[in-house]
Amino acid sequence: MPVATIKFYVRAGLIAPARKTGQTMSWYSPKVVERLKAIKELQERQFLPLDVIKQALDRDEEAPDELAAAEAIAGVLAKRGGRRSRTRDEVLARGASAIELQWLATAGLAVPGADGAYRGDDLALLSTLGAARRAGIRADMLPFDIMQAYLMALHALVEVELRLFRDGVIRKADRRDVARLTTAATKLSERLVVIVRRKLLLPTLRQLIEEELDVEDRTLRKPADRVRGQHQRSRPRRRAR
C-alpha cells in the first residue's frame, strides 16, 4: 500500500500508529494490517464514505452485524457506480481542474484507487462535474463554499439514515436477515431521497423567490416613506387666528 495512502488514512482517523520515532518513522500494530485489508475491501466494493467505514470498523468487535450492514450498503453502491475507470489525466481532459480534484479528495468525495484511477461513484461525481463545465456552468457559478454547505447538509442526512439503519434494521432484524434487509432499505432510501427532493424543490424555490421579492419591496418602500416624512415635516404650519 502506498505511503501516501497510509498517511491519508491516518489523517482520516482510520488507523493510528502505535508509536512514532522521529519525523519519518512510525510503528504500527499487526492488527492494523487486517484493518487496512478491510478498508480496501469496502472501498473496492464501492465506495462507502471513509467516516462510515471508520464507524463500521470501530464497532465491528462490539456489533459485528454493523459490518455486515456496511458491506451490504457497499454492494448496493457498487452496482450503482458501474465498473468504468478513468485516470487523473483523463478526468482533467474532460473539464475538471487540479484544484477541484484536490478539494474533492480532501473531502473524501473523489479519491483515486491504488492504481491512480477513479471508479464507481467517485468517477460518477467527476463525470457530472465535467458535464457541468462543458455545459457552461463555471466554477464561479457553483463555488466550493456552496458545495461545502451542500456536503454538510448531506452528511446530516446520511447520519440520520445510518442511525435509522442501526436502531431499526440492525438491532431488530434476525442476524441472518441483516444484509438482505439493509440492501433493501438502502435501495428504498435512495429512491425516497430523490422523490422527496423533487417534491420540495419547486415549493422551496417559490418560497425563496417570495422572500426575495418581499425584501426588495420593503427596500423600495423605505426611501419613499422617508421622502413623505420629510415633506410632512417641512410643510409650514398655519398660524392660528
Side-chain angles (χ1 to χ4, degrees):
M1 188 169 288
V3 174
T5 303
I6 298 292
K7 291 181 177 180
F8 181 78
Y9 288 161
V10 171
R11 290 195 300 271
L14 286 160
I15 60 173
R19 60 188 176 92
K20 298 189 70 174
T21 56
Q23 296 294 323
T24 59
M25 182 70 69
S26 298
W27 293 87
Y28 292 86
S29 166
K31 294 181 180 180
V32 170
V33 176
E34 294 302 319
R35 190 174 177 91
L36 289 173
K37 289 180 179 178
I39 294 169
K40 186 175 180 182
E41 181 181 358
L42 287 173
Q43 282 191 305
E44 289 181 350
R45 292 176 67 173
Q46 234 58 248
F47 294 112
L48 280 176
L50 291 179
D51 56 345
V52 176
I53 293 177
K54 181 179 183 299
Q55 291 176 18
L57 294 178
D58 288 346
R59 294 190 182 92
D60 186 25
E61 295 182 359
E62 299 178 3
D65 289 342
E66 297 210 13
L67 185 56
E71 291 176 346
I73 295 173
V76 174
L77 299 181
K79 293 180 181 179
R80 297 284 192 271
R83 296 184 179 181
R84 295 181 305 143
S85 65
R86 285 205 175 96
T87 65
R88 175 185 172 87
D89 290 340
E90 290 174 329
V91 171
L92 291 172
R94 289 176 175 267
S97 69
I99 295 176
E100 289 170 335
L101 293 184
Q102 179 61 42
W103 189 92
L104 292 170
T106 302
L109 294 175
V111 181
D115 59 354
Y118 295 94
R119 295 180 177 82
D121 284 339
D122 295 46
L123 179 58
L125 179 62
L126 293 171
S127 297
T128 302
L129 179 62
R133 296 292 177 263
R134 291 192 297 274
I137 302 176
R138 304 185 308 271
D140 60 322
M141 295 177 178
L142 289 175
F144 285 142
D145 56 352
I146 292 178
M147 293 184 64
Q148 183 65 35
Y150 194 68
L151 181 61
M152 291 174 62
L154 288 178
H155 263 297
L157 174 63
V158 168
E159 288 178 359
V160 171
E161 187 175 7
L162 292 176
R163 207 158 44 238
L164 292 174
F165 279 167
R166 187 180 306 125
D167 297 339
V169 176
I170 297 175
R171 293 183 180 175
K172 296 180 181 179
D174 187 278
R175 176 166 293 184
R176 292 169 297 183
D177 288 336
V178 166
R180 179 180 64 81
L181 293 176
T182 300
T183 298
T186 302
K187 293 178 180 178
L188 290 172
S189 67
E190 286 190 336
R191 291 170 55 189
L192 180 65
V193 168
V194 171
I195 293 171
V196 172
R197 177 186 175 275
R198 200 159 57 217
K199 293 287 289 183
L200 293 178
L201 191 59
L202 283 179
T204 304
L205 178 60
R206 292 193 188 100
Q207 180 181 351
L208 291 174
I209 292 174
E210 290 174 359
E211 290 175 355
E212 289 181 1
L213 291 175
D214 186 50
V215 170
E216 291 178 1
D217 185 49
R218 290 199 304 269
T219 303
L220 291 173
R221 283 202 306 266
K222 285 181 180 178
D225 293 341
R226 285 197 296 269
V227 170
R228 282 196 298 270
Q230 292 172 359
H231 179 69
Q232 291 171 358
R233 286 194 298 272
S234 61
R235 183 179 299 170
R237 296 179 179 179
R238 296 182 179 179
R239 292 181 178 180
R241 292 184 179 179

